[in-house]
């Protein structure tokens, strides 16, 4: 459960967890090992890492790129996580390359939105897709990914989610992605 009062989360893949892993695809770069189940664990809960295939950590954070108008529009349209009917999930881990991180904030914003329309295009998929972004570079130790992204939607919206991903992966923003692993999930069918 992704509890809003917490910021640090572990995504633990193994033999236990409320989400069943349906597919595990390395879109760019190195893959992650296969596992049956995925659990999302907050900081105050214990992480059964010894029994896990892998675990990744990320923190929720303040927004970096949105303008006031975009934020107002997002808040008006977006859905909360945890909707009972939204039993399909996606966990997508990404790393951007050193060229991305060498850019300034305004250069990155320009690529994300003015060139790639990430926010404007994503907005068209709200409220069907509920989402949460986790940052890994804010953690004290080096991490294999820069971002962990989490999405929940109804089975009927799985095609729309794939369509959105197709659009985003064709943008100039995605030319900076040097590692991307895409896991698809179904809630409640695991150990
Ligand atoms: C469902 C519709 C979506 C909406 C409305 C949306 C919206 C946003 C917004 C507003 C931001 C900027 C947050 C900030 O200001 O810091 C953002 C960042 C991000 N989104 Fe999306 N997004 C969507 C889908 C996706 C998808 C499908 C992915 C695929 C993995 C994705 C990956 C990311 C990543 C990695 C970032 C961080 C970019 C960076 O800081 O360099 N988003 N998204």
């Amino acid at each position: 459960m992704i509890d809003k009062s917490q910021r640090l989360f572990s995504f633990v893949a193994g033999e236990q967890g409320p989400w069943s892993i349906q597919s595990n695809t390395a879109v760019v770069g190195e893959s992650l090992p296969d596992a049956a189940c995925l659990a999302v664990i907050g900081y105050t809960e214990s992480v059964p890492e010894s029994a896990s295939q892998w675990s990744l950590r990320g923190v929720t954070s303040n927004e970096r790129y949105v303008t006031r108008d975009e934020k107002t529009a997002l808040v008006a349209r977006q859905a909360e996580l945890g909707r009972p009917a939204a039993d399909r999930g996606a966990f997508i881990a990404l790393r951007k390359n050193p060229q991305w991180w060498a850019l300034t904030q305004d250069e990155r914003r320009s690529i994300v939105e003015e060139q790639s329309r990430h926010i404007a295009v994503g907005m068209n998929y709200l409220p069907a897709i509920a989402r949460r972004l986790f940052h890994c570079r804010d953690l004290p130790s080096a991490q294999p990914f820069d971002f962990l992204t989490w999405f929940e939607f109804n089975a009927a919206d799985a095609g729309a989610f794939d369509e959105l991903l197709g659009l985003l992966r064709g943008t100039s923003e995605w030319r900076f992605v040097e590692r991307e692993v895409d896991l698809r999930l179904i809630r409640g069918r695991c150990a």
Side-chain angles (χ1 to χ4, degrees):
M1 184 63 192
I2 300 181
D3 173 356
K4 267 192 166 170
S5 68
Q6 301 197 32
R7 291 192 52 218
L8 175 60
F9 291 87
S10 293
F11 296 81
V12 182
E15 296 304 314
Q16 290 175 27
W19 293 88
S20 163
I21 299 174
Q22 296 297 297
S23 64
N24 173 6
T25 309
V27 181
V28 186
E30 201 190 331
S31 61
L32 284 169
D34 282 326
C37 316
L38 187 69
V40 187
I41 295 172
Y43 178 65
T44 55
E45 299 161 78
S46 65
V47 184
E49 288 187 49
S50 55
S52 72
Q53 286 284 349
W54 49 262
S55 113
L56 294 167
R57 289 193 181 80
V59 287
T60 57
S61 188
N62 56 286
E63 279 131 355
R64 268 76 160 162
Y65 301 116
V66 281
T67 63
R68 168 51 57 195
D69 285 351
E70 287 162 352
K71 181 160 178 158
T72 303
L74 284 163
V75 169
R77 280 189 76 128
Q78 67 196 12
E80 293 290 332
L81 299 176
R83 296 168 295 176
D87 66 349
R88 296 296 193 275
F91 171 77
I92 301 177
L94 297 111
R95 188 172 70 226
K96 288 181 172 173
N97 64 21
Q99 289 74 32
W100 175 260
W101 294 109
L103 296 172
T104 61
Q105 186 72 15
D106 57 326
E107 289 169 328
R108 289 198 295 265
R109 154 76 201 188
S110 164
I111 293 165
V112 165
E113 194 54 20
E114 279 68 39
Q115 294 181 35
S116 302
R117 313 300 294 161
H118 182 134
I119 300 165
V121 168
M123 197 96 73
N124 295 330
Y125 295 83
L126 305 182
I129 315 292
R131 65 185 225 290
R132 184 74 41 88
L133 173 65
F134 301 85
H135 294 257
C136 312
R137 287 169 66 94
D138 294 0
L139 295 172
S141 57
Q143 301 293 318
F145 295 96
D146 296 331
F147 306 100
L148 308 177
T149 61
W150 181 264
F151 305 92
E152 294 175 6
F153 44 88
N154 296 0
D157 292 314
F161 184 72
D162 282 332
E163 176 187 270
L164 168 60
L165 269 178
L167 294 172
L168 289 174
R169 286 176 178 151
T171 62
S172 49
E173 181 190 352
W174 248 254
R175 290 210 296 267
F176 294 88
V177 173
E178 65 174 16
R179 189 177 180 194
E180 179 173 2
V181 180
D182 179 337
L183 267 66
R184 297 306 170 88
L185 314 161
I186 299 187
R187 197 204 306 261
R189 297 202 186 167
C190 212

